[in-house]
Amino acid sequence: MTTLYGIKNCDTIRKARKWLESNGVNYAFHDVRSDGIDSETIAKWVNYAGWEKVLNKRGTTWRQLAEEVKNNVSGENIVDLLTEHPTMIKRPVLETGSIIEIGFSEARYRELFNT
């Protein structure tokens, strides 16, 4: 089963969803803001891709964090931080089979789905 994680009003999510739909890929959408996300799932992504790739430092939530929190982010506390603030997860996260893809790239999606 293919699952796309993100937030519904994100432009990058819209692009990824449009690509998946126009290429006939069946997927489930999981909104991390309204549906929530558990720490085990986030830990799996961090272990797969590295916490630096999973953390989105470009968003409003990151910019609003206290400097002390931003300066002390590490592999030890990132799962708790992202569980508390799921909008800081880089979007989208696509899980398909044993592959976890962070971010959207049309070329990479074509490669994953052989289109």
Side-chain angles (χ1 to χ4, degrees), residues 18-44:
K18 183 178 179 180
W19 189 93
L20 291 168
E21 289 162 9
S22 67
N23 286 278
V25 177
N26 291 326
Y27 71 96
F29 178 67
H30 183 100
D31 190 313
V32 298
R33 181 183 289 158
S34 61
D35 300 331
I37 190 78
D38 59 62
S39 59
E40 293 81 17
T41 301
I42 294 170
K44 177 175 64 170

Side-chain angles (χ1 to χ4, degrees), residues 96-110:
T96 184
S98 62
I99 296 171
I100 299 169
E101 188 67 26
I102 312 287
F104 174 69
S105 160
E106 193 172 314
R108 179 67 177 133
Y109 275 37
R110 274 196 306 270

Side-chain angles (χ1 to χ4, degrees), residues 4-108:
L4 185 73
Y5 294 85
I7 55 177
K8 64 184 169 193
N9 61 344
C10 171
D11 288 338
T12 308
I13 293 295
R14 287 187 190 120
K15 289 177 192 174
R17 292 183 81 173
K18 183 178 179 180
W19 189 93
L20 291 168
E21 289 162 9
S22 67
N23 286 278
V25 177
N26 291 326
Y27 71 96
F29 178 67
H30 183 100
D31 190 313
V32 298
R33 181 183 289 158
S34 61
D35 300 331
I37 190 78
D38 59 62
S39 59
E40 293 81 17
T41 301
I42 294 170
K44 177 175 64 170
W45 298 343
V46 167
N47 289 333
Y48 185 91
W51 70 267
E52 296 90 345
K53 188 165 185 177
V54 177
L55 174 63
N56 176 13
K57 291 184 176 181
R58 293 182 164 192
T60 305
T61 307
W62 172 261
R63 289 191 301 267
Q64 292 175 345
L65 285 178
E67 287 301 316
E68 181 181 341
V69 173
K70 289 193 260 188
N71 293 335
N72 290 301
V73 171
S74 69
E76 283 85 47
N77 63 15
I78 192 65
V79 172
D80 291 337
L81 184 65
L82 294 177
T83 303
E84 183 178 344
H85 302 284
T87 57
M88 289 194 315
I89 298 169
K90 185 167 181 172
R91 300 178 296 267
V93 176
L94 179 79
E95 282 192 29
T96 184
S98 62
I99 296 171
I100 299 169
E101 188 67 26
I102 312 287
F104 174 69
S105 160
E106 193 172 314
R108 179 67 177 133

